[in-house]
Amino acid sequence: MSELVVAVCQFRPTEDREGNRMRITELVADAASRGARLVVFPEYSSYFVDPMDASFALHAETLDGEFVRALQAAASAHDVTIIAGLVEAAGERVRNTLVAVDATGLRATYRKQHLYDAFGQTESDWIEAGELGIPQTLDIDGLRIAMMTCYDLRFPEVARTLVDAGADVIVVPAEWVRGPLKEHHWTTLLAARAIENTVYVVAADHPTPIGIGHSQIIDPQGVVIAGVGTGDGIAVAQLSQEAIARVREVNPVLRLRRYGVVPR
C-alpha cells in the first residue's frame, strides 16, 4: 500500500516577503530531515499584515514570481512538494491562492472560494473569490492530494467535491483568527471533514496571537495523529492508503451516499 510522510509547518508570516521566503526554506529543510515528502504551510505565507489593507495588492505576486520560484528551489533542494498560501496579483484586488510546487514547478493551484466575511471581518474588501470549477489535484507517493483554504472548512460541500475528485488527503492552509470558541470550531470542523469523507486532513495555521495555532494532521477516523501547540513548530506523520481502505471497509459512507453519488 502507498505511504506518504507529511509535515505541517506552523509559522507567522509578516510583511517581510523575503523574510517569509527564508523562514519557509529553513522549515522545509527541517521537515525534509524528518522524512517529509509533502510540506504544508499556512494561508498568506507570502505576505500578511493584520488588519488587512491595501498593501496586499502592492505586495501581491504572480504565479511565476519570487515566492513560487523560492518554493521550487526549496522543493528541488530537498525532493519534496510544498503547499503554501500566496497573495496572488489580480489587478486592484488580490486572490487568496494556494500553490502546490515541486522541483518541476507549479503543480496545482486553489483560489479561496468562501471569503471570510464573518466574526467582524470583511476579507472581501480586499480579496477576489475564486471561481468554482473542477478541483485540481496532484498525486504524491500514491496518494491524491487536494486543497482548500481556511473559511472554506465551514462549507462541507467543498471537501466533498475534493473527495469526489479522488482526494485521499485534504490540505487546509489557514489563518484561523482567534475569537470566542474559535479553537473549538477549528478542531471540530477538521475532524468532521475527515470523518464524513474518510480521508486524511492536513491543516496548517498561523500561531497566536493572531491565529490560534493547533496545526494538525488527522486520520480518516477523525483522530489527531500529529499536531503543534500555539507557537511555531512542525508536526510530522505518515499517511497510508491502507488506513483509508480499512476505514472505508467498515464505514462505507461514500459508497452508501445517496445524494450526488459518485461511484467509488
Side-chain angles (χ1 to χ4, degrees):
M1 283 286 186
S2 301
E3 296 182 342
L4 171 66
V5 178
V6 175
V8 288
C9 298
Q10 184 167 289
F11 89 111
R12 183 178 292 103
T14 70
E15 72 280 0
D16 181 355
R17 289 162 52 196
E18 181 179 4
N20 293 336
R21 297 193 299 268
M22 292 175 62
R23 182 63 177 140
I24 287 170
T25 298
E26 294 169 354
L27 290 167
V28 168
D30 192 346
S33 73
R34 305 187 198 189
R37 294 269 296 137
L38 171 63
V39 187
V40 178
F41 289 90
E43 180 183 22
Y44 293 125
S45 285
S46 68
Y47 178 84
F48 186 72
V49 294
D50 180 61
M52 299 180 74
D53 59 25
S55 70
F56 275 70
L58 296 175
H59 293 277
E61 302 185 31
T62 62
L63 293 177
D64 59 355
E66 291 179 322
F67 186 73
V68 171
R69 292 200 302 270
L71 296 187
Q72 183 177 359
S76 178
H78 299 286
D79 190 27
V80 298
T81 300
I82 302 169
I83 293 176
L86 166 71
V87 179
E88 183 190 1
E92 294 182 0
R93 296 160 70 79
V94 301
R95 298 186 182 98
N96 185 337
T97 301
L98 302 180
V99 292
V101 180
D102 66 10
T104 67
L106 189 65
R107 292 280 308 278
T109 61
Y110 176 89
R111 295 181 175 94
K112 191 174 187 179
Q113 296 176 3
H114 298 91
L115 301 182
Y116 186 55
D117 288 2
F119 298 96
Q121 306 287 323
T122 52
E123 189 177 32
S124 63
D125 284 348
W126 314 105
I127 308 296
E128 177 183 291
E131 294 182 2
L132 303 182
I134 299 173
Q136 296 185 28
T137 64
L138 63 154
D139 293 343
I140 308 173
D141 294 349
L143 279 84
R144 179 158 294 178
I145 315 299
M147 303 176 285
M148 66 178 179
T149 315
C150 198
Y151 194 54
D152 287 327
L153 184 65
R154 293 183 180 272
F155 300 84
E157 58 270 27
V158 178
R160 184 50 55 87
T161 62
L162 302 181
V163 174
D164 285 346
D168 302 304
V169 182
I170 296 175
V171 172
V172 189
E175 199 288 292
W176 198 264
V177 179
R178 294 188 76 185
L181 297 177
K182 294 295 288 297
E183 291 90 344
H184 173 65
H185 292 182
W186 172 249
T187 55
T188 299
L189 292 167
L190 289 172
R193 300 296 87 85
I195 293 167
E196 69 198 9
N197 293 296
T198 56
V199 294
Y200 287 97
V201 173
V202 178
D205 191 24
H206 291 213
T208 59
I210 298 174
I212 63 164
H214 298 292
S215 298
Q216 51 196 260
I217 301 170
I218 302 167
D219 78 4
Q221 296 189 91
V223 177
V224 177
I225 55 177
V228 183
T230 58
D232 286 18
I234 300 176
V236 179
Q238 181 171 284
L239 319 186
S240 78
Q241 191 66 255
E242 182 180 11
I244 298 171
R246 186 167 58 248
V247 171
R248 289 179 178 175
E249 182 177 359
V250 298
N251 183 26
V253 292
L254 299 180
R255 179 166 53 82
L256 297 177
R257 176 162 54 105
R258 299 181 66 191
Y259 291 87
V261 175
V262 175
R264 304 285 296 180

